[in-house]
Amino acid sequence: MKPTYKQVTKTRYIEQISQLAEEIFVQHYTKLTPKVARALAEKYQSDILTDDEIHSGTVNYFMIYLGSDPVGYFALDLTPTGAMCLSRLFLLEKARGQGIGRSIVAYAQKLAEGDGRSRLYLRVWAKDLKAEGFCKKCRFRKSETVPMEVLPGVTLEITTWEKLWR
């Protein structure tokens, strides 16, 4: 089944993203405790933060559906000059491995190119080997890895992957 995307603007979808984030972060960040994964979801994907990002006009969020089932979300940060950041890309475990992520990267690249941008990038946890494999499959190249304090007392190495086309 081919995924569909719906841009998020309404409160009920913003709340749905926050709920999905908690479930996905616990599934995804298995090297962290569920408590820390939930805290990350609350800090970085709360409905208040998501609503603020959407209404700032600089970040567009999209729900990802398989049929009528929401299976994840992604966000495109439009603030970098000459670039677009795929700032969020999260899928439920059951939706992974079906080419959805690659289709989102292609979609984001097409939007970036159409907007005159020459670079698409994303940041992932350096210890996430699945995310690293995904970036390589999508022809991103590793740019840099830096430590980032994501919660008080919790520092993760974050790798930036980029794709250039001009």
Side-chain angles (χ1 to χ4, degrees), residues 126 132 135-136 140-145 159-162:
E132 181 176 315
C135 290
K136 288 177 180 177
F140 283 86
R141 70 174 179 86
K142 192 182 284 191
S143 174
E144 67 177 348
T145 301
T159 300
T160 299
W161 292 82
E162 64 182 2

Side-chain angles (χ1 to χ4, degrees), residues 21-30 33-35 37-38:
E22 185 173 324
E23 183 178 352
I24 292 169
F25 279 38
V26 170
Q27 288 178 354
H28 185 73
Y29 293 109
T30 57
T33 66
K35 182 179 179 180
R38 280 191 289 280

